[in-house]
Every structure is written in C-alpha cells, then in structure tokens.
Amino acid sequence: MPVLTRLIPSPVVVDIRPGALDDLGCVLADERISHSGKLAVAVSGGSGARLRERVAPSLPGATWYEVGGGTIDDAIRLAADMRAGHYDAVVGLGGGKIIDCAKFAAARVGLPLVAVATNLAHDGLCSPVATLDNDAGRGSYGVPNPIAVVIDLNVIREAPARFVRSGIGDAISNISAVADWELANRVNGEKVDGLAAAMARQAGEAVLRHPGGIGDNGFLQVLAEALVLSGIAMSVSGDSRPCSGACHEIHHAFDGLYPKRAPAHGEGCGLGAAFAMYLRGAHEESAYMAEVLRRHGLPVLPEEIGFTTEEFVKVVEFAPQTRPGRYTILEHLDLTTDQIKDTYTDYVKAIGS
C-alpha cells in the first residue's frame, strides 16, 4: 500500500512571545519573506497607528497605509493603492478588521500576508477567510493563509481585556463545533477531516483546561497558539467546519436579529457553545464550560448581555437559517419554540444563575 502525505497550508513563521514585535524586521529578513525590505504595512487609526512609531525604525523600506475600517470597499481600496508599489509582502498590523482587510488586499494583488495581531479577539488572525462588511451585511471571502503570524504578548496585554475574553469564547467553542461535525457524520455521512478536527478540538481543550487567567503570559501564550491552530484547522478542512457549529449559528443569529445589540463574536460563540453542549445531552460538559467561561468574565446566560429569555428563544429558533446546509444539534433536534424555552429553563437550572 503506498504511503501518501499531504501538504498542510500553514504559516512559515509563527512567533508568539513577549517582545516579538521588536524583532519583526529581522524575522521577515531571516525567513526570506522580504529580501529588499519593501513592505506594504496596513494599519488602523487605533492600535496599529500607535505602534507605527515603535515599529517603523525596524522597517525602513516600508510604505504605510492607514485603513479606515473593515469593509469590502476598504479592502479593495487598499489593494488598489498597493498596486503602485513593488512590494515583497503585505503586513497587517492591528486587530481583526485590519488583518482581514490586509488578507483580502494581499490576495487581490498576489502578495503574501504577514499578520501582526494586536489583540486575540478571534481565530481569524490565521484563518483562510477574510470577514468584511458589505452592502448586504457581512460576507466571508476565501483568501490564502498568512505566510507569517507574529503575536507580541506584551502588546496583547495592553489591549482591552474584552478582546482576550472574546478570543477565549471563540477558542472554547471549537469543542462544540467539532461535536456538531461528528454528529453530521453519524447522521448524514458528512466527511470529517480527522486532522482538522483534532487540531480544533485540542486547541479548545487547551484553553478550557488551563488554570491561568487573562493576566498570565502562560495563559495568553496558550490562547494565542489555540487561535492560530484553529485557523490552520480551517485551512486543512477547506472550510470553517472544525470551528463553527451551532455555537456560531447562535452568534450569527444575535447579529442578524439584533445587530445594534449583538454581543462580541467570542461572547456569543461561548454562550452558544455552552447551550449547544446542553442541547446534545452533555450536561456535565456544559456546566464545566459555563464555569470556565464565567471564571474568565464571559456571559453564559443571555440576561448577562441584556437579552430576555424570549429574545434568546428567537435567536435559537432563527440560528439554523444563518448557515443553510450546515447540520448541527440545532438542525438535528429541530425544536419548537416551546421546546427551546423549556430546554433553556433546564439549562439555567443546570449551570446555576
């Protein structure tokens, strides 16, 4: 029997440590990502711009582009501006919106992307997807993985704590997402990529089981690694399946029904994951997940983020419509409005209010 291997789409460099940003220029040169030092650096008017003064001396050949926001128009405009230069690579320096704009623009002009994250809000920093606002709402666009990911834990510690909390919820939700994928396999025969599932699940478990908190470098290291692994897991599978199930459907339903009040991505996904685990009968796992989310300051009940029980029932009822064709515990149970309400009441009793 022949032995076959596959190439895994992943960054050439993953540098996660305190002080990593100070060595950015050396890393790009040493890894032959930029021979000439000619780089297009995309930054926001916020965290990225504040770091420009610190980073600019180590990137003397860079051209800096300030990106207005996270829309498809911003990304197209950035790509058009960069076409005039002859760059080795694009560097996205900032939060998720800036990195997603830089991903899209880099793909459009055929250049590799270096993702330099200033927060850990979600797993998009290393995923093959750029999520950008458009006229119809929000769209996901396929793009190549970053060629390098640089995360300076000192910079992460300076970001608002809510960003780290959001990343925690997003990472932990992998556990529920993989369970949904395996359910789809048992019921519908949907193929599960074992490597992608293993990477996503272990990333979630590492964050769930870590005893540290958001102020610890050790915990931040594990969280950053988990988010990078989640992105690579999506590249391995070719879609978001290993990291997106009922948990994300519930979050996207919050977004769709209550766009001005919707929780942060990781908050919605974490809450959705704890409830989805309860729905599938994993009551002990759901309670433990809720306990950990609470320890990190994340919501596990809709009331904690300003939603009534009736509003949450509508969210769960609407959730399957956010990802047509995706089979999760929500599609499997196909609960009525009254059944969702009764199950939620039981969930509240099980995890404690």
Side-chain angles (χ1 to χ4, degrees), residues 333-350:
L333 295 177
D334 193 22
L335 300 175
T336 66
T337 302
D338 287 341
Q339 287 173 324
I340 295 171
K341 189 171 185 176
D342 290 344
T343 305
Y344 175 70
T345 300
D346 295 338
Y347 165 76
V348 173
K349 291 178 183 176

Side-chain angles (χ1 to χ4, degrees), residues 75-244:
I76 292 172
R77 192 177 303 115
L78 175 61
D81 291 343
M82 292 191 307
R83 287 188 191 281
H86 300 282
Y87 302 114
D88 298 326
V90 178
V91 177
L93 173 61
K97 289 183 178 180
I98 300 308
I99 289 177
D100 278 355
C101 273
K103 279 185 193 177
F104 185 94
R108 198 170 176 92
V109 299
L111 289 173
L113 173 78
V114 178
V116 183
T118 57
N119 66 59
L120 298 178
H122 56 77
D123 56 23
L125 59 95
C126 191
S127 75
V129 176
T131 302
L132 300 167
D133 293 332
N134 55 43
D135 292 339
R138 182 165 295 173
S140 297
Y141 305 88
V143 294
N145 270 81
I147 195 171
V149 175
V150 176
I151 302 173
D152 188 328
L153 297 182
N154 292 335
V155 174
I156 298 303
R157 291 172 69 93
E158 294 171 3
R162 68 178 185 275
F163 290 125
V164 176
R165 292 191 176 103
S166 183
I168 292 168
D170 201 17
I172 288 176
S173 74
N174 287 4
I175 298 166
S176 177
V178 172
D180 280 326
W181 202 6
E182 292 172 338
L183 172 66
N185 171 262
R186 292 193 300 272
V187 176
N188 294 334
E190 181 178 332
K191 184 178 179 181
V192 172
D193 187 305
L195 178 58
M199 294 173 73
R201 178 162 35 213
Q202 292 309 308
E205 289 284 354
V207 175
L208 182 70
R209 308 291 174 183
H210 197 286
I214 62 175
D216 305 329
N217 268 354
F219 178 78
L220 292 178
Q221 180 91 31
V222 168
L223 175 60
E225 290 171 352
L227 296 176
V228 169
L229 280 174
S230 298
I232 296 173
M234 287 186 269
S235 292
V236 168
S237 70
D239 60 19
S240 63
R241 197 55 158 124
C243 305
S244 176

